[in-house]
Amino acid sequence: AKLFDGKLRTQINGFYMIYENFQTTKFDIFTTNTGTTNLTSSSKIYGLEAQADLRFGGLNLNASLSYVHSKLGASQLIDTRTLPPGASQLVQCGVGQNPPGCFDYSNSYQNISGSRNPYSPEVTINLGAEYDIDTGHGILTPRVDFTYIGNQFASVFQHPIFDRLGS
């Protein structure tokens, strides 16, 4: 909307997405290779974004707020960082086969169902202020900005020490 003779501009957006075949890195217990794979479940992402821009004379104030809810579907993966030393170099033990030539990964799977998507902060806030000063030789515009980005995770495992980014 444009209000007060165009001095205030606002915008509100909403979104809802179903992300099919979400891709992430997966550890293959039969080859001990790590590579990108499609998860069979979908990821749901929805949220709201709002922003406002107020210009009055040489003063310009702006603000934006976003809320994002993201959730991974049903999936289980192995986080190789949680395995005992050397285990990620061994293939899955077959029937009747015992370590040390192999490793039983059956208790190593982590349920990531319902986890947030990586790099998806729940809340983001931006505030800014600037003022145009006519110096006689040009315009000088000092500006101040504040940004808050809520916590987010760098992987689907969301380990609080290894993967947490932000506050």
Side-chain angles (χ1 to χ4, degrees):
K2 287 186 181 179
L3 306 167
F4 308 112
D5 296 326
K7 290 180 173 63
L8 176 63
R9 294 179 301 168
T10 61
Q11 182 174 326
I12 297 175
N13 303 303
F15 57 91
Y16 180 85
M17 298 184 296
I18 297 177
Y19 189 160
E20 297 289 340
N21 295 320
F22 181 79
Q23 288 187 337
T24 191
T25 303
K26 179 181 178 183
F27 174 68
D28 183 342
I29 63 174
F30 297 106
T31 65
T32 68
N33 291 329
T34 300
T36 302
T37 187
N38 289 344
L39 296 179
T40 55
S41 63
S42 61
S43 175
K44 292 182 183 175
I45 306 167
Y46 60 86
L48 291 170
E49 298 172 334
Q51 57 190 81
D53 188 39
L54 174 65
R55 182 166 284 280
F56 187 76
L59 178 65
N60 183 21
L61 303 172
N62 54 44
S64 66
L65 169 70
S66 68
Y67 168 78
V68 176
H69 177 84
S70 67
K71 186 189 259 189
L72 293 171
S75 295
Q76 291 188 356
L77 295 173
I78 294 175
D79 184 352
T80 57
R81 300 171 300 182
T82 63
L83 295 173
S88 64
Q89 307 301 315
L90 301 172
V91 296
Q92 171 67 39
C93 292
V95 176
Q97 188 180 14
N98 294 315
C102 61
F103 186 78
D104 183 5
Y105 292 98
S106 59
N107 293 323
S108 302
Y109 283 93
Q110 294 182 25
N111 183 359
I112 61 168
S113 305
S115 298
R116 290 196 327 220
N117 287 26
Y119 303 104
S120 183
E122 191 172 47
V123 175
T124 304
I125 300 170
N126 293 294
L127 303 171
E130 65 184 35
Y131 189 77
D132 292 338
I133 302 169
D134 188 351
T135 64
H137 299 334
I139 304 291
L140 177 65
T141 309
R143 180 170 177 86
V144 176
D145 287 297
F146 168 81
T147 299
Y148 169 80
I149 300 173
N151 68 35
Q152 57 187 315
F153 295 93
S155 89
V156 295
F157 297 109
Q158 300 186 3
H159 190 282
I161 295 172
F162 302 128
D163 300 325
R164 187 178 179 137
L165 304 173
S167 57

